[in-house]
Amino acid sequence: PFSAVETQAMRDLVLASKPDVVIDFHGWESSVIGDDRLKTAFNEELGLRISHSFTSSNAKGYFSNWAHQQGSLAMLVEFTSSDSIDMGKLENAINRLINDQY
């Protein structure tokens, strides 16, 4: 865990700032894993196929699961492919979180 410099920096940032929400973006499994309250906005806006909670999936090694264990609402967003990312829909999903519409 935290063997890469970038993951150490992300860890240190979460520990120092204690964010309310942590979203980790990856690809390419077309899924959302994490807090149910956050997943709804992203599933509805982006149409991702699969949705799991941290407890129902093997999310042990995910940074977002670690952030969740530190007290943040957290999720991992796995896009379908790099060309599948609709920036307008992604912005809508993020705005829903900012406006507490999740």
Side-chain angles (χ1 to χ4, degrees):
F2 305 111
S3 59
V5 174
E6 63 271 17
T7 58
Q8 293 169 13
M10 290 175 13
R11 175 201 59 206
D12 294 348
L13 178 64
V14 167
L15 291 174
S17 64
K18 302 195 183 322
D20 293 330
V21 175
V22 172
I23 304 170
D24 191 5
F25 294 102
H26 282 273
W28 310 118
E29 296 183 12
S30 187
S31 64
V32 181
I33 301 169
D35 193 298
D36 289 334
R37 294 171 286 179
L38 301 178
K39 292 185 309 186
T40 300
F42 278 77
N43 279 338
E44 289 176 0
E45 294 294 338
L46 300 172
L48 299 172
R49 296 188 311 255
I50 304 166
S51 180
H52 299 287
S53 66
F54 286 126
T55 57
S56 69
S57 68
N58 187 11
K60 191 178 204 177
Y62 295 147
F63 177 79
S64 51
N65 187 31
W66 175 85
H68 171 75
Q69 292 171 0
Q70 306 312 304
S72 297
L73 292 177
M75 73 177 162
L76 169 66
V77 177
E78 288 271 352
F79 293 105
T80 304
S81 65
S82 58
D83 61 349
S84 73
I85 302 170
D86 182 324
M87 295 308 287
K89 290 181 180 183
L90 179 58
E91 182 180 347
N92 289 344
I94 292 170
N95 282 330
R96 284 177 65 173
L97 298 184
I98 291 169
N99 295 312
D100 291 326
Q101 298 172 343
Y102 55 92

